[in-house]
């Protein structure tokens, strides 16, 4: 049993790393700090707006206190730019792929612990899990890169008038959520690589006996 467990040490580490990546990716999907807009309109308000994939929160500084208002949106809202609508689907897909990958690697590790190594079932389960986790990492990476490009090119968003957010801010930057998303993608890539590196233990191979002459 110890030998069988040791044969999948990298995959056990990969399971832990990939799980962290999946949690970070799912969490980043709900955060609002993908983009930070600095607003400057002395006649109405000043402050900043934090934009996520599913909502925007506005922080307005007044003479007395700071007021916060959040507005939710979805891919059905036509005023959203293409990059946000596509990223919404990519992040949802990454979460689903990561979950399926976890199910596959759990099945594979269960086989390893039970000593089921006489066929390719365990190997295929690790390969499938590796592919799914890497695909999830790619989805998150595309969302991060597209978000970065939109900020660097200072693209605007035509929010509804009720949001009281201008088409473009006077300055914008990448939000801290992007760091979380990058860590998630890296962990998913690393976990996927660990799963793809699985090899059947040599001790499990069957060798014919050679009779002495």
């Amino acid at each position: 049993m110890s030998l069988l467990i040791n044969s999948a040490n990298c995959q056990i580490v990969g399971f832990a790393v990939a799980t962290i990546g999946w949690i970070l990716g799912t969490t980043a999907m709900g955060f609002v700090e993908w983009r930070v807009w600095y607003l400057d309109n002395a006649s109405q308000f000043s402050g900043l707006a934090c934009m996520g994939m599913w909502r925007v929160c506005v922080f307005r500084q007044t003479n007395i206190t700071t007021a916060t208002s959040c507005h939710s949106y979805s891919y059905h809202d036509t005023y959203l730019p293409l990059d946000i609508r596509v990223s919404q689907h990519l992040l949802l897909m990454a979460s689903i792929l990561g979950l399926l990958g976890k199910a596959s690697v759990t099945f594979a590790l269960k086989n390893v612990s039970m000593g089921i190594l006489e066929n390719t079932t365990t190997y295929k389960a690790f390969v499938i899990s590796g592919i799914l986790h890497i695909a999830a990492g790619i989805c998150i990476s595309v969302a991060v890169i597209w978000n970065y490009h939109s900020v660097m090119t200072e693209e605007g968003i035509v929010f509804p008038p009720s949001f009281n957010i201008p088409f473009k801010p006077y300055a914008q930057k990448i939000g801290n959520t992007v760091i979380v998303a990058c860590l998630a993608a890296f962990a998913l890539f690393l976990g996927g690589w660990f799963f793809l590196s699985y090899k059947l233990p040599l001790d499990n191979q069957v060798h014919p006996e050679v009779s002495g002459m």
Side-chain angles (χ1 to χ4, degrees), residues 29 31-35 50-57 73 84:
M29 181 171 56
F31 285 167
V32 295
E33 289 190 27
W34 282 82
R35 308 180 193 179
C50 295
M51 263 158 272
M53 296 301 169
W54 302 99
R55 59 181 178 145
V56 56
C57 290
Y73 41 73
I84 291 182

Side-chain angles (χ1 to χ4, degrees), residues 31-39 47-53 55-59 69-71 73 159 165 173 175-177:
F31 285 167
V32 295
E33 289 190 27
W34 282 82
R35 308 180 193 179
V36 177
W37 282 16
Y38 292 95
L39 310 176
L48 58 87
C50 295
M51 263 158 272
M53 296 301 169
R55 59 181 178 145
V56 56
C57 290
V58 182
F59 302 85
S69 60
C70 293
H71 306 277
Y73 41 73
F159 285 112
I165 302 176
K173 69 173 185 178
N176 294 331
T177 300

Side-chain angles (χ1 to χ4, degrees), residues 90-129:
L90 288 174
L91 293 174
L92 283 173
M93 189 180 301
S95 181
I96 295 172
L97 291 174
L99 186 61
L100 294 175
K102 283 174 60 61
S104 181
V105 74
T106 299
F107 170 79
L109 290 174
K110 179 182 177 181
N111 282 356
V112 170
S113 67
M114 296 175 63
I116 305 176
L117 297 172
E118 65 276 5
N119 52 43
T120 59
T121 302
T122 302
Y123 175 76
K124 289 180 179 178
F126 276 125
V127 170
I128 292 173
S129 180

Side-chain angles (χ1 to χ4, degrees), residues 14-183:
F15 177 80
V17 173
T19 299
I20 294 174
W22 179 76
I23 293 174
L24 289 176
T26 304
T27 303
M29 181 171 56
F31 285 167
V32 295
E33 289 190 27
W34 282 82
R35 308 180 193 179
V36 177
W37 282 16
Y38 292 95
L39 310 176
D40 185 20
N41 188 335
S43 62
Q44 296 183 22
F45 57 80
S46 63
L48 58 87
C50 295
M51 263 158 272
M53 296 301 169
W54 302 99
R55 59 181 178 145
V56 56
C57 290
V58 182
F59 302 85
R60 307 191 195 282
Q61 185 68 47
T62 64
N63 294 330
I64 303 175
T65 183
T66 299
T68 306
S69 60
C70 293
H71 306 277
S72 299
Y73 41 73
S74 69
Y75 54 86
H76 295 296
D77 294 316
T78 56
Y79 61 81
L80 291 175
L82 181 62
D83 63 301
I84 291 182
R85 283 184 284 171
V86 172
S87 294
Q88 288 174 338
H89 289 83
L90 288 174
L91 293 174
L92 283 173
M93 189 180 301
S95 181
I96 295 172
L97 291 174
L99 186 61
L100 294 175
K102 283 174 60 61
S104 181
V105 74
T106 299
F107 170 79
L109 290 174
K110 179 182 177 181
N111 282 356
V112 170
S113 67
M114 296 175 63
I116 305 176
L117 297 172
E118 65 276 5
N119 52 43
T120 59
T121 302
T122 302
Y123 175 76
K124 289 180 179 178
F126 276 125
V127 170
I128 292 173
S129 180
I131 293 173
L132 289 173
H133 279 95
I134 290 176
I138 292 175
C139 289
I140 295 177
S141 298
V142 172
V144 168
I145 293 173
W146 206 341
N147 180 77
Y148 176 83
H149 176 267
S150 298
V151 173
M152 292 299 100
T153 55
E154 298 183 348
E155 295 183 5
I157 302 177
V158 185
F159 285 112
S162 60
F163 286 17
N164 290 322
I165 302 176
F167 171 65
K168 281 188 178 182
Y170 78 88
Q172 59 179 299
K173 69 173 185 178
I174 300 294
N176 294 331
T177 300
V178 173
I179 299 176
V180 178
C182 288
L183 291 175

